[in-house]
Amino acid sequence: MSQKVLLSSKEIHIILHRLACQLLENHLDFKDTVLVGLQPRGIFLAERLTKILKEEYGVKEINLGFLDITFYRDDFRRGEKTLEANTTRIDFLVDDKKVVFIDDVLYTGRSIRAALTAIQSFGRPKEIELLTLIDRRFSRHLPIQPNYRGRQVDAINEEKVKVMWEENDGQDLIYLVSK
């Protein structure tokens, strides 16, 4: 198995600031916008973006939630092992709000389809956007595209994108892993 570094810590830092600026440009004060990190790995990106928006760009208040999509996926019964749910934490209404789903890697689009179903339990959003750090553009099974993307990657065959976060993995780094 071989690993190739796709993005270094410095490159991730630059991309996060660009994504934060794009969000700020489109949502200004965030009074009508909520950010929702998709469990499990999208929460690290969502928290990091929220921190940048607040500390470096002066956004006073942002509603940030975490959405577990485990049992909304169309493939959750197909694996050998029993799946464990993550925590959903959405302590605000999404009715008539702009919702920005945040996930680390957009691959087949199935997670986003599940998130579209899951968010309906919390109200009817006015609009839904998607922000992803890595867009694996040749792997889509569903017609889903991000509104905000950090980097587009042409991963093929059995290649896998591995995102590491300082908060969880001890460092910020993104690899392309080949078997």
Side-chain angles (χ1 to χ4, degrees):
M1 178 165 47
S2 66
Q3 293 186 135
K4 173 187 169 192
V5 174
L6 284 177
L7 295 172
S8 67
S9 178
K10 183 176 183 176
E11 291 168 312
I12 293 170
H13 176 81
I14 291 167
I15 288 171
L16 292 179
H17 279 78
R18 177 174 48 80
L19 290 170
C21 287
Q22 290 174 343
L23 283 171
L24 192 58
E25 183 178 325
N26 291 333
H27 299 282
L28 299 173
D29 60 6
F30 288 83
K31 70 177 175 61
D32 294 322
T33 301
V34 298
L35 304 181
V36 176
L38 301 186
Q39 288 277 23
R41 309 274 308 169
I43 65 170
F44 303 112
L45 177 57
E47 287 176 329
R48 191 79 68 87
L49 287 169
T50 300
K51 183 178 179 183
I52 291 169
L53 287 165
K54 285 182 174 181
E55 294 178 4
E56 299 187 32
Y57 296 104
V59 177
K60 300 220 182 305
E61 191 173 324
I62 300 175
N63 283 316
L64 171 63
F66 305 138
L67 182 63
D68 178 51
I69 58 167
T70 303
F71 299 113
Y72 291 92
R73 293 184 57 91
D74 60 3
D75 60 354
F76 86 91
R77 293 184 191 262
R78 294 182 186 215
E80 297 274 328
K81 65 179 183 175
T82 304
L83 295 177
E84 291 183 31
N86 294 290
T87 303
T88 289
R89 190 195 86 210
I90 297 180
D91 53 2
F92 47 82
L93 296 175
V94 299
D95 283 320
D96 295 320
K97 298 283 187 187
K98 294 177 184 175
V99 173
V100 180
F101 285 149
I102 299 175
D103 205 3
D104 59 349
V105 178
L106 175 58
Y107 182 31
T108 62
R110 294 187 182 284
S111 294
I112 306 308
R113 194 227 35 92
L116 290 166
T117 303
I119 199 68
Q120 298 300 316
S121 300
F122 298 92
R124 185 176 181 197
K126 180 179 185 177
E127 180 180 317
I128 298 176
E129 294 181 336
L130 173 60
L131 181 148
T132 186
L133 184 60
I134 302 293
D135 176 10
R136 291 185 56 162
R137 67 180 180 161
F138 293 136
S139 309
R140 214 75 77 239
H141 294 176
L142 300 170
I144 292 173
Q145 299 302 320
N147 301 84
Y148 312 92
R149 84 171 42 93
R151 177 71 52 92
Q152 225 172 27
V153 174
D154 298 333
I156 56 172
N157 301 327
E158 298 297 313
E159 293 175 324
K160 183 177 178 183
V161 175
K162 182 177 178 184
V163 179
M164 300 180 70
W165 293 107
E166 175 83 33
E167 300 86 343
N168 191 61
D169 308 302
Q171 63 179 334
D172 290 337
L173 207 56
I174 301 176
Y175 292 106
L176 183 63
V177 181
S178 302
K179 288 188 177 186

